[in-house]
Amino acid sequence: MTGPPPPRRPPGRRLAGWAAGLLVAVPTLTTGCRLLDTDALTPVPQALSFLPWLILPAALALLLALAARERLLAGWAALVLGATAWCVLPHGPATTTARGPVVARLRVLAANVEFGQATGDLAAAVRRERPHLVHVCECDRSCVRTLTAALGASHPYRAVVDGAGSAGSVILSALPLTARPAIPAAMGMPGATARIGGRDVELRLAHPLPPLPGQVDLWKSELGRLERFAAEHGDSGPVLLAGDFNASQDHAAFRSVLAAGRLHDAARLAGAARTPTWPREGPLPPYVQIDHVLVSDDFRVHGVRFLDLAGTDHRAVLAELDLHAGR
């Protein structure tokens, strides 16, 4: 004789189980790639920008799996939730190993003015905040002319990649600069050396292509050039690398830049590693930090603030730094 058939699960529990499985899929893939230290292929680089927010679907998946009495699925969702939460912790050490007396105090501002549209508000912010160095992404020819006219007295030195639209960029300085070759890229990444407090500080503006579908390989390639720059200069003296990296701490290519030059994200050192800088326009509030000021171990960070500029979808980053003698 055969026994009675097993009781069928109520439809609501079956639906909860299916929903839990679907919800945990994206956090599983994205967090898995983060733990494996790979940006993989589309859609992983795009999903990594949302990594902190993936705690929400992972947590909901856990609740639904528990409601569905799916113990295996609940265990998996709990594992993914814990791993995602661990990945959200700030990346890298909380301080630098700067040595010797302080030889200069600096303010560094990094801003993407979105095709020059925020040029006027940036000029006002520079007059108000008085940074010594200003890294400006998407500064076209008109933007450069406007900033030169408005800030020529306070920031007479500059390194420029001349270009239209997003291809143009400029580093403005209140301190003398010696121009250095730009890092090759689709969008301008100028460079210079500044003599500050008796030390030669290598400056570069970062602006690799974004990881859009179809150009992820180009994005990785341009971040790879920044990585090579960091590796070549990280042990030879002070380095400041600032701009719109189109990458967050959750992208392996960005972490490689930090590791190659033993660089530190000023926002992380100031306790603001997860403060979002993009996008300021559109239906979503800012959800990811892709604008950074990176410093070598020669610096200590006093603070970081994020400025809203009218006309751009990026928040600017203002870092207050001490440069040490290094002895």
Side-chain angles (χ1 to χ4, degrees), residues 92-237:
T95 186
T96 68
T97 58
R99 295 172 297 167
V102 175
V103 294
R105 176 162 286 187
L106 294 173
R107 283 189 168 193
V108 180
L109 179 64
N112 182 323
V113 293
E114 194 179 7
F115 307 109
Q117 296 174 136
T119 302
D121 215 29
L122 173 63
V126 170
R127 286 192 291 264
R128 182 177 65 250
E129 303 292 346
R130 298 181 181 179
H132 301 85
L133 300 167
V134 187
H135 292 61
V136 192
C137 300
E138 300 195 17
C139 187
D140 58 14
R141 298 178 183 98
S142 175
C143 167
V144 172
R145 288 195 300 270
T146 300
L147 292 178
T148 300
L151 304 173
S154 61
H155 294 74
Y157 308 101
R158 61 185 182 272
V160 181
V161 170
D162 183 63
S166 63
S169 291
V170 62
I171 299 174
L172 300 172
S173 176
L175 307 164
L177 298 180
T178 301
R180 298 299 182 202
I183 296 173
M187 297 185 289
M189 296 204 284
T193 301
R195 187 72 176 170
I196 303 174
R199 306 196 68 186
D200 288 332
V201 180
E202 289 296 323
L203 312 175
R204 291 298 185 280
L205 183 147
H207 196 201
L209 287 166
L212 299 175
Q215 66 180 38
V216 169
D217 287 344
L218 292 172
W219 169 74
K220 289 181 180 179
S221 175
E222 293 191 353
L223 279 166
R225 291 170 197 161
L226 291 172
E227 179 185 347
R228 287 191 291 276
F229 163 80
E232 290 168 2
H233 293 86
D235 291 324
S236 60

Side-chain angles (χ1 to χ4, degrees), residues 2 27 37 45 71 78 80 92-93 108 156 159 163 179 183 192 206-207 213 227 253 259 274 282 286 310 316:
T2 60
D37 201 32
R71 285 184 288 182
V80 172
V108 180
I183 296 173
H207 196 201
E227 179 185 347
R274 288 291 182 181

Side-chain angles (χ1 to χ4, degrees), residues 18-77:
W18 276 103
L22 291 173
L23 281 169
V24 81
V26 172
T28 296
L29 173 64
T30 307
T31 299
C33 287
R34 171 66 174 82
L35 294 173
L36 292 171
D37 201 32
T38 177
D39 294 319
L41 305 171
T42 296
V44 172
Q46 297 84 4
L48 282 165
S49 298
F50 292 91
L51 189 137
W53 305 99
L54 296 182
I55 287 176
L56 299 177
L60 184 55
L62 175 58
L63 294 176
L64 288 171
L66 291 172
R69 299 181 187 176
E70 294 280 0
R71 285 184 288 182
L72 185 61
L73 182 57
W76 183 251

